[in-house]
């Protein structure tokens, strides 16, 4: 049986900040994640929403500029936008898991199990 100084339940942004601080003091940690590594916000919440909203906001801004130096309003190519979003955010869980596992102090990651 392995012993840890800390067990982190969840690997979202707050957990990562805590893990990084504890790792700098060479504590052994186990990061347990029941779903996607990185948490809700980067995977399916805030970050993807901000990405999508930013593209739509830019396109909408052009509508008020038509005739004021802009010839026509921009349109959103949804298929390309969704493909770009998928390419960016689908790798987030594996990238986050790798970051946790590279922290000093013996950090390990594990899928959620019954504790």
């Amino acid at each position: 049986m392995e012993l840890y100084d800390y067990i982190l339940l969840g690997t979202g942004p707050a957990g990562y900040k805590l893990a990084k601080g504890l790792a700098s003091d060479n504590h052994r940690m186990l990061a347990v994640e029941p779903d996607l590594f990185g948490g809700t916000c980067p995977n399916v919440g805030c970050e993807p929403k901000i990405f999508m909203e930013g593209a739509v906001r830019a396109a909408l801004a052009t509508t008020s500029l038509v005739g004021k130096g802009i010839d026509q309003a921009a349109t959103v190519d949804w298929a390309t936008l969704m493909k770009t979003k998928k390419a960016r955010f689908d790798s987030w869980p594996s990238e986050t898991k790798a970051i946790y596992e590279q922290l000093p102090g013996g950090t390990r990651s594990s899928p959620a199990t019954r504790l």
Side-chain angles (χ1 to χ4, degrees):
M1 172 172 45
E2 291 191 55
L3 298 176
Y4 297 94
D5 298 312
Y6 295 93
I7 297 175
L8 304 174
L9 303 178
T11 59
Y16 174 70
K17 187 169 184 159
L18 176 63
K20 192 172 177 182
L22 293 171
S24 68
D25 292 335
N26 209 31
H27 292 287
R28 287 185 42 82
M29 291 169 285
L30 172 66
V32 179
E33 177 56 61
D35 197 10
L36 297 172
F37 269 79
T40 298
C41 183
N43 283 298
V44 295
C46 315
E47 298 298 328
K49 178 203 72 93
I50 290 167
F51 175 84
M52 299 294 289
E53 191 243 357
V56 171
R57 186 177 296 266
L60 286 174
T62 65
T63 61
S64 64
L65 298 172
V66 172
K68 299 174 185 166
I70 300 296
D71 292 330
Q72 64 184 36
T75 59
V76 176
D77 176 348
W78 286 104
T80 301
L81 185 63
M82 292 303 290
K83 184 178 177 182
T84 304
K85 179 186 89 64
K86 183 174 176 46
R88 171 58 196 107
F89 293 101
D90 280 4
S91 63
W92 191 265
S94 60
E95 291 171 8
T96 304
K97 185 175 182 182
I99 289 169
Y100 268 87
E101 291 176 346
Q102 291 172 8
L103 287 172
T107 301
R108 299 288 179 263
S109 60
S110 172
T113 56
R114 291 181 71 143
L115 298 176

